[in-house]
Amino acid sequence: MWHVYILKCSDNTHYVGCTNNLEDRIRRHNRREVSYTRIRQPFELVVYTTFADKYKAYEYERYLKSGSGRAFVFSLAFIVR
C-alpha cells in the first residue's frame, strides 16, 4: 500500500509526501532526517490517503503539490481541524 500524507508544520506550512511505509516516514521526519521538516518541527499529521497503486499515489501527490492542489491542501487542513 502507498500513502500520500500531509503534515502541518510549526510555521503553518504544509508538507506533502508519498511513501509505502508511513510509520517509518513519520519517524524519519521526527528524527530530522527530512530537510524541509527539520527546521519546522513540531508538526502534526493532518491526513493521509492510502492507494493500492503506486502510480495513482504519485499522481495524487503531484496534484497536491500543484497550484489547485495546494489550495485543496489548505482547505482540507482547515476542515480536518
Side-chain angles (χ1 to χ4, degrees), residues 12-80:
N12 287 323
T13 61
H14 293 89
Y15 178 89
V16 176
C18 186
T19 183
N20 65 342
N21 187 337
L22 187 58
E23 229 176 79
D24 180 61
R25 187 64 173 156
I26 297 298
R27 195 174 306 120
R28 290 177 57 207
H29 282 289
N30 280 320
R31 283 189 264 164
R32 301 177 187 266
E33 295 175 5
V34 180
S35 60
Y36 185 85
T37 56
R38 178 179 300 141
I39 61 170
R40 294 173 172 86
Q41 290 195 17
F43 57 82
E44 64 179 299
L45 178 64
V46 176
V47 67
Y48 67 92
T49 306
T50 303
F51 295 84
D53 185 307
K54 170 183 173 178
Y55 300 103
K56 296 277 185 200
Y58 279 108
E59 284 177 22
Y60 185 58
E61 178 194 25
R62 189 171 51 240
Y63 162 71
L64 292 178
K65 291 179 175 181
S66 72
S68 60
R70 281 284 175 196
F72 178 70
V73 166
F74 180 76
S75 65
L76 182 62
F78 184 74
I79 292 169
V80 171

